[in-house]
Amino acid sequence: MSTQFDICMIVHNDLIHDGRVLKEATSLTQQGWKVAVLGISLGDEIYPEHEEFNGFTIYRVTPKLFRNLFPGRLGLLLPLIPMLPAMSIQLRKIKARMYHAHDFPALLQIRMTWLSRPAFIYDSHELFFDRPLPDLPRPIEWLIKSMKLLEKPFAKRAEALITVNDSIAEILSNKLSISR
């Protein structure tokens, strides 16, 4: 993987049904940028670890440990535990001028991967910590909610924060103490 990319997007899904990220990567590619997208394959299907799609490159990390052990959200979250180091290893292999974290899990991934600061953008598709978390045992729900404390200092290190609409932009600006 010696290719130098302009942009590396990070997303914590398999990209198959993530139209927003796929459209953005396609659009950037059409504008002449060299784009890589790194995702995680967590569902029942196992997708290729490397593929070309619409002119950009997709890399996926697929968990082996804890895969399909439990139903529901718990079954999707447990494989993430051993996957975070695997994602960091793969992310370090993708050399890019700018990294693009899609939502808080990808922001966390960037900060876990690099102690020194690469250039990155935080793209908050939603108010991540305001979502309901059904089907999770209390300790895991508590752990996820406690990570909310990390969003502000991590987001402040981003070159920019983008989001889907003005109302979310206003809320994030206030919550994270960043300028609009």
Side-chain angles (χ1 to χ4, degrees):
M1 189 183 320
S2 60
T3 304
Q4 174 71 35
F5 293 96
D6 296 308
I7 301 163
C8 174
M9 297 181 173
I10 303 97
V11 61
H12 277 234
N13 65 49
D14 57 26
L15 291 158
I16 299 301
H17 303 290
D18 197 333
R20 182 172 186 261
V21 173
L22 293 172
K23 285 178 190 174
E24 186 175 354
T26 299
S27 178
L28 288 166
T29 299
Q30 290 171 347
Q31 298 300 312
W33 298 96
K34 191 157 183 55
V35 178
V37 183
L38 175 60
I40 299 177
S41 183
L42 289 174
D44 293 332
E45 296 275 334
I46 296 180
Y47 297 102
E49 290 184 4
H50 176 260
E51 69 178 305
E52 299 299 318
F53 182 82
N54 284 355
F56 60 91
T57 305
I58 295 174
Y59 298 99
R60 289 186 191 89
V61 177
T62 303
K64 309 284 189 275
L65 194 59
F66 303 132
R67 190 175 181 87
N68 299 323
L69 212 58
F70 297 99
R73 283 188 177 231
L74 183 60
L76 291 175
L77 288 174
L78 275 180
L80 286 176
I81 295 167
M83 285 309 301
L84 293 175
M87 280 286 283
S88 288
I89 290 167
Q90 185 67 26
L91 188 54
R92 280 187 172 274
K93 292 179 183 178
I94 302 172
K95 304 295 182 206
R97 292 182 9 210
M98 177 67 69
Y99 295 85
H100 184 143
H102 286 275
D103 282 322
F104 179 78
L107 175 65
L108 179 63
Q109 190 69 58
I110 284 177
R111 298 309 307 148
M112 285 177 51
T113 300
W114 286 283
L115 295 176
S116 63
R117 184 173 92 122
F120 72 93
I121 293 170
Y122 179 31
D123 187 347
S124 183
H125 300 190
E126 60 193 343
L127 298 173
F128 186 80
F129 292 102
D130 293 349
R131 302 172 310 147
L133 297 171
D135 304 333
L136 288 180
R138 278 273 184 232
I140 293 177
E141 183 178 339
W142 178 85
L143 177 65
I144 290 170
K145 297 256 184 204
S146 68
M147 285 193 272
K148 182 177 187 173
L149 299 171
L150 299 174
E151 187 177 30
K152 184 175 181 177
F154 289 179
K156 284 180 159 275
R157 307 248 355 227
E159 302 295 322
L161 185 142
I162 56 179
T163 191
V164 295
N165 62 43
D166 286 334
S167 61
I168 291 178
E170 190 65 37
I171 292 167
L172 287 173
S173 174
N174 292 330
K175 278 186 174 187
L176 303 177
S177 301
I178 56 177
S179 59
R180 256 315 288 262

